[in-house]
Amino acid sequence: MLSFIFFCGYVPALRAANLYLTEVAPFAFIKDAKGTYDGINVRIVNELRRRSGVALELVVVPSSRHVVMFPADKEAYSISQAENFSDQDGILLSEVTQFPIMVIAPRGAVLKNYDDLIALSMEKGIGMMRRLSYGTFGQDERVRKVEINTLENGIRMLEAGRISGIVGSQPAILAAAEKSATPHLLGPGLIISYGSHVMRVRPEFAASANSKIINATLLAMKNDGSIARILDDFLKDPKAGLSAAK
């Protein structure tokens, strides 16, 4: 019977492994009324899927769902900020991209060095995403911090004068300001560290053939400049709305 099934041309479909992305612009976001996704990580995944031949099902969810769904899924991958997960949640396969982590103050504020940052934070605090430490910044008790749920929420708090600045990756802050139509609000910025978006895989699937193919393909994309070209094309696209804070 089994041979008859294959003879007739029926082959059971292989289940695609889930690849989770956090729904944060400009990395992954809905770009139109049809619910089509775009973003830096979406474009990288599309190229990764094309070149590796590995079946990957894109799952774009808010951060609060990402940190729950990925560890609960046995055969799954994730691209997210390196701090989002521990090695117990997912084995690190490769760094995908790196971005400056910045504190950005409102226009008119003075922010030329770290001492200025400490003084600025004493006014109303620096908005910082929960769970993230941004290197040693999160443990620096000289900087007063205020927890925010999302960067969009932090932008609203900044606009209302409830906080003195906001910290996050530069592209994400700029995209949040563009989304809330407040890019005019952003003033001086100070780079405090660099953050990576990394590819992780659930530990149970880390030694699989697909994981090795994905890792090798990502490395090849990095070495031949494909990832750099994707980044450059996206960040220079005027429709992306990203411009450096002044």
Side-chain angles (χ1 to χ4, degrees), residues 156-178:
R156 287 192 290 270
M157 293 172 68
L158 193 64
E159 184 178 26
R162 294 169 54 193
I163 55 178
S164 304
I166 186 170
V167 61
S169 73
Q170 184 186 37
I173 291 177
L174 296 175
E178 184 68 23

Side-chain angles (χ1 to χ4, degrees), residues 101-103 126-129 134 137 151 165-169 173 192:
I101 302 298
M102 300 187 72
V103 172
I126 303 298
M128 188 171 81
M129 291 279 287
Y134 303 111
F137 180 79
L151 289 174
I166 186 170
V167 61
S169 73
I173 291 177
I192 57 170

Side-chain angles (χ1 to χ4, degrees), residues 165-245:
I166 186 170
V167 61
S169 73
Q170 184 186 37
I173 291 177
L174 296 175
E178 184 68 23
K179 182 178 179 180
S180 59
T182 55
H184 60 279
L185 176 70
L186 303 183
L190 183 70
I191 295 176
I192 57 170
S193 65
Y194 286 86
S196 297
H197 276 212
V198 298
M199 170 74 82
R200 290 185 182 273
V201 61
R202 289 291 298 138
E204 298 90 334
F205 205 61
S208 70
N210 278 350
S211 294
K212 293 176 182 177
I213 291 170
I214 286 174
N215 190 25
T217 305
L218 274 173
L219 181 61
M221 287 171 60
K222 198 168 186 178
N223 288 342
D224 69 16
S226 296
I227 289 178
R229 284 191 292 272
I230 290 171
L231 281 171
D232 194 52
D233 289 345
F234 185 90
L235 295 176
K236 286 185 176 179
D237 183 353
K239 294 180 180 178
L242 298 180
S243 58

Side-chain angles (χ1 to χ4, degrees), residues 114-143:
Y114 204 81
D115 287 338
D116 288 341
L117 169 57
I118 294 171
L120 180 72
S121 75
M122 291 300 105
E123 296 175 13
K124 297 174 184 176
I126 303 298
M128 188 171 81
M129 291 279 287
R130 64 179 63 185
R131 297 182 296 100
L132 300 179
S133 62
Y134 303 111
T136 59
F137 180 79
Q139 287 74 48
D140 192 334
E141 296 181 353
R142 297 173 299 169
V143 179

